[in-house]
Amino acid sequence: MAAAAPAGRCIEIGTSAGYSTLWLALACRAVGRKITTCEILDEKAELARQTFGAAGVCDVVEFVHGDALDHLAGCKDIAFCFLDAEKEIYERCYEALVPGIVQGGILVADNAINLQATLRPMLERALQDARVDALIVPIGKGELVCRKR
Ligand SMILES: C[S@@+](CC[C@H](N)C(=O)[O-])C[C@H]1O[C@@H](n2cnc3c(N)ncnc32)[C@H](O)[C@@H]1O
């Protein structure tokens, strides 16, 4: 999906040690794009840097060490976002992200089924949000997929 998204920025919120970023980086590299990924914890940030160095993906990964919420305000031209941070900040991330997503741009949020109870307010908001077409895809832990209208 990162590769098929319209022109614009590709973002990941919640890097951890960088596993999902590696897949996104492969997709981005295949189509000449870059992925910006954000991690708040010092120890995870260090692991992620090691991962990206060892995997040789530093040319397509822009790593941001800090609170994603500090970087999302006013963020524009978002073509693709993978949201996989602490579930308590999903709703704030969603509200910060959606205005900056380009038409046809895609937001994927992980854990939409296995943590459905925790995420219910955010999921209901997205599924009823007139700015996006949204559905929950029953693969893995459940992916909320939103496409900006
Ligand atoms: C589920 S893990 C991410 C897993 C990773 N996406 C993967 O699949 O390999 C969630 C990560 O989000 C980070 N996180 C939590 N709140 C954050 C915030 N406000 N800004 C940036 N990262 C955050 C956590 O420290 C944690 O490493």
Side-chain angles (χ1 to χ4, degrees), residues 126-144:
L127 292 169
Q128 294 169 14
D129 190 346
R131 298 172 297 176
V132 300
D133 295 310
L135 77 166
I136 295 172
V137 182
I139 55 172
K141 295 170 182 172
E143 307 301 320
L144 171 71

Side-chain angles (χ1 to χ4, degrees), residues 12 14-16 19-20 38-41 66-68 84-86 89:
E12 176 183 52
T15 317
S16 191
Y19 175 74
S20 52
C38 187
E39 172 56 50
I40 196 169
L41 293 181
D67 188 338
D84 191 22
E86 295 313 308
I89 67 164

Side-chain angles (χ1 to χ4, degrees), residues 44-81:
K44 295 290 176 71
E46 177 54 29
L47 282 173
R49 286 197 179 95
Q50 290 176 20
T51 299
F52 302 147
V57 296
C58 294
D59 57 322
V60 287
V61 175
E62 182 193 11
F63 181 59
V64 177
H65 181 190
D67 188 338
L69 289 166
D70 292 340
H71 297 273
L72 288 180
C75 193
K76 291 186 169 52
D77 298 325
I78 301 166
F80 175 85
C81 179

Side-chain angles (χ1 to χ4, degrees), residues 81-105:
C81 179
F82 180 50
L83 175 55
D84 191 22
E86 295 313 308
K87 309 315 153 191
E88 290 70 23
I89 67 164
Y90 266 36
E91 198 161 6
R92 276 186 287 159
C93 288
Y94 179 85
E95 298 299 348
L97 284 162
V98 169
I101 298 177
V102 301
Q103 187 176 14

Side-chain angles (χ1 to χ4, degrees), residues 9-31:
R9 304 180 61 195
C10 293
I11 296 172
E12 176 183 52
I13 301 173
T15 317
S16 191
Y19 175 74
S20 52
T21 319
L22 292 184
W23 289 103
L24 294 167
L26 286 180
C28 285
R29 175 176 281 156
V31 293

